[in-house]
Amino acid sequence: MAKAGDGVRVAYQVAGGGPALILLAGQANSHHWWDGVREDFEATRTTITIDYRGTGDSDKPRDAYSTEIFAGDVVAVLDDLGVDRADVYGTSMGGRVAQWLAARHADRVDALVLGCTSPGGAHGFERGADVRKALGQLDQRAARRALLELMYTPGWLANHPGPYQTLGDPRMPPFARKGHLLASDRHDAWAVLPDITARTLVLHGGNDRFNPTANAELVAGRIPGAVAHIIPGTRHAYFEEFRAVAGPLVVEFLG
């Protein structure tokens, strides 16, 4: 456990060996988001995952949820480990958290990978009305199926019956889940993206409708020297379904 500036305890997990690599999960998810993926990095990296406040074994306060606050929690974990600098790989909302981390705490970030993410705010490309309608329907089984189909291709779903680690932490209380939703929805790092000095790779699924693919070039164009790479045929959870492609891309970039 690390203790954030406001006293909230943040759980983290460490595995592998080598230079530190922080892996940041998506909205309303714990470190289990990275199950079956973090192993791709552990031969050369010490992987550090985090249970965001409100998830996993971390404290679950009734307020204080934002992507900036989550970034501060990451700094608290680095301090607790005695790690001065680390590489950072954030996907989905984790990419939003990583934006603040790299912009506001540039001295703590070496290389940066932003996956399936968005700058948020008025400048980001929002998901379509049809996607929002599918996810917001009252039939929870149908909404869950819609989310799965936004995450993974039909072929992968047919051969992988679950459990699925990217659908949210089932232990989250409703107020924390709402806090995460608001944190992601209110994210707006457009103004600070040019402040990022870390060497940056932006990854995105070519068929991502959950977080539209157009956001990749938008983010990369805003960060000095950043490079965007689109993985064809992939949806939001490209990092898991297409780990054989995405993992080596990240490893090569990190060097």
Side-chain angles (χ1 to χ4, degrees), residues 46-234:
T46 297
T47 60
I48 304 165
T49 51
I50 293 170
D51 289 342
Y52 293 120
R53 57 176 65 199
T55 73
D57 294 323
S58 293
D59 286 347
K60 299 169 179 62
R62 288 193 168 271
D63 52 12
Y65 293 96
S66 75
T67 50
E68 280 192 85
I69 288 173
F70 294 148
D73 292 347
V74 176
V75 173
V77 168
L78 289 175
D79 289 345
D80 197 65
L81 285 167
V83 174
D84 291 330
R85 298 177 65 88
D87 293 333
V88 180
Y89 182 14
T91 49
S92 198
M93 189 190 76
R96 300 181 183 214
V97 176
Q99 292 166 31
W100 285 115
L101 184 63
R104 296 295 195 216
H105 307 276
D107 59 322
R108 310 302 294 269
V109 179
D110 281 328
L112 175 67
V113 182
L114 301 174
C116 54
T117 193
S118 161
H123 298 281
F125 289 97
E126 295 295 328
R127 63 190 62 148
D130 58 331
V131 173
R132 293 194 297 272
K133 182 178 179 180
L135 294 175
Q137 58 190 308
L138 295 178
D139 184 338
Q140 292 301 303
R141 292 183 64 181
R144 182 178 186 274
R145 185 66 193 181
L147 179 57
L148 280 172
E149 292 174 351
L150 290 165
M151 288 283 185
Y152 307 102
T153 65
W156 196 89
L157 288 173
N159 293 302
H160 296 79
Y164 306 103
Q165 300 293 350
T166 55
L167 302 188
D169 179 2
R171 294 194 291 160
M172 287 185 76
F175 68 81
R177 190 173 296 276
K178 181 178 180 181
H180 271 240
L181 175 61
L182 292 175
S184 189
D185 285 349
R186 292 171 177 172
H187 173 78
D188 186 356
W190 182 259
V192 302
L193 291 180
D195 297 337
I196 294 176
T197 58
R199 188 167 54 91
T200 303
L201 171 66
V202 179
L203 290 177
H204 218 106
N207 295 339
D208 190 347
R209 296 173 60 231
F210 186 75
N211 189 350
T213 304
N215 281 305
E217 295 290 353
L218 190 65
V219 171
R222 191 72 175 159
I223 299 173
V227 176
H229 186 105
I230 309 301
I231 304 176
T234 63

Side-chain angles (χ1 to χ4, degrees), residues 224-249:
V227 176
H229 186 105
I230 309 301
I231 304 176
T234 63
R235 299 187 178 184
H236 195 61
Y238 75 86
F239 53 90
E240 180 183 5
E241 181 178 353
F242 287 78
R243 59 181 288 195
V245 176
L249 280 172

